[in-house]
Amino acid sequence: MTRVLFVCHGNICRSPMAEFVFRAMVQKAGRAQAYEVQSAALSSEELGNPVYPPARAMLARHGISCEGKYARQIEKADAQAFDLLIGMEQRHVDAMCRRFGADAQGKVHRLLDYTGTPGDIADPWYTRDFETAYAQIEAGCRALLVQLEQAAQGQHAAQAGQGARQAPRQDRKKILLEDG
């Protein structure tokens, strides 16, 4: 099982959107049992608060519920419990690296770094641009899922002792993420 923790400043906009978008993608791909997905905040400002209403509305527009999600703060144990700690901005990556040190080595990444357009996802709390934030989060989650599934396929082939031929990258993306 691959454990993924999405992280942003307050855990009420970007990281919960990423959590629930990624969950929906793995569910649609029939791979929900292969992933544990959560989200958390770097700050304590929003602890216990539900997903911010415009973020919740954006998810709902895409048929995704975030019911029951309340902001929580990242904890020291998360560095060991999760395989990937995914920040929305470089400052989140830097903060996690400082907070966790060697415990997070190789685990901390920025979501858009999985795409062909690496960069930060601007905080829609300030920009009020939830459309762009959602589109970037969705693109990042798709690219992350493709990469994780490719890695899993490679591990299965190696474990079986096979030099299994994999489909070209574009074909795997289509198979995994086809909106059918």
Side-chain angles (χ1 to χ4, degrees):
M1 176 175 285
T2 301
R3 293 171 174 85
V4 180
L5 182 67
F6 293 101
V7 178
C8 70
H9 181 75
N11 193 219
I12 60 168
C13 293
R14 292 170 292 175
S15 61
M17 283 198 297
E19 173 186 352
F20 290 96
V21 165
F22 194 76
R23 280 186 186 183
M25 287 178 179
V26 298
Q27 182 73 34
K28 186 172 185 176
R31 300 281 294 144
Q33 75 288 350
Y35 295 93
E36 178 183 334
V37 184
Q38 293 184 32
S39 63
L42 286 167
S43 80
S44 60
E45 294 171 32
E46 300 289 347
L47 294 183
N49 287 334
V51 175
Y52 188 54
R56 188 177 335 124
M58 182 59 64
L59 288 169
R61 279 185 36 201
H62 293 274
I64 300 171
S65 172
C66 60
E67 191 67 34
K69 172 66 182 173
Y70 296 94
R72 78 164 184 92
Q73 190 172 24
I74 196 166
E75 302 171 351
K76 183 77 171 161
D78 290 332
Q80 292 297 318
F82 289 90
D83 302 303
L84 291 171
L85 304 167
I86 308 293
M88 302 295 123
E89 297 178 36
Q90 186 61 46
R91 68 185 183 101
H92 302 148
V93 169
D94 295 343
M96 286 187 283
C97 288
R98 279 191 308 275
R99 186 174 291 186
F100 298 134
D103 288 342
Q105 192 169 20
K107 294 181 175 188
V108 181
H109 306 276
R110 198 170 43 165
L111 182 58
L112 288 182
D113 288 350
Y114 290 93
T115 72
T117 55
D120 290 346
I121 297 171
D123 191 343
W125 171 268
Y126 299 105
T127 67
R128 298 295 185 219
D129 189 355
F130 286 86
E131 298 262 349
T132 298
Y134 182 89
Q136 290 176 323
I137 288 166
E138 183 179 46
C141 287
R142 282 191 190 285
L144 173 60
L145 181 57
V146 167
Q147 185 168 329
L148 291 173
E149 288 297 301
Q150 287 173 352
Q153 288 173 1
Q155 286 177 349
H156 293 308
Q159 289 172 352
Q162 301 172 356
R165 181 187 172 280
Q166 291 186 354
R169 184 177 180 164
Q170 289 300 106
D171 291 346
R172 284 196 301 268
K173 277 186 178 180
K174 185 176 179 184
I175 292 165
L176 288 171
L177 303 173
E178 190 171 23
D179 288 334

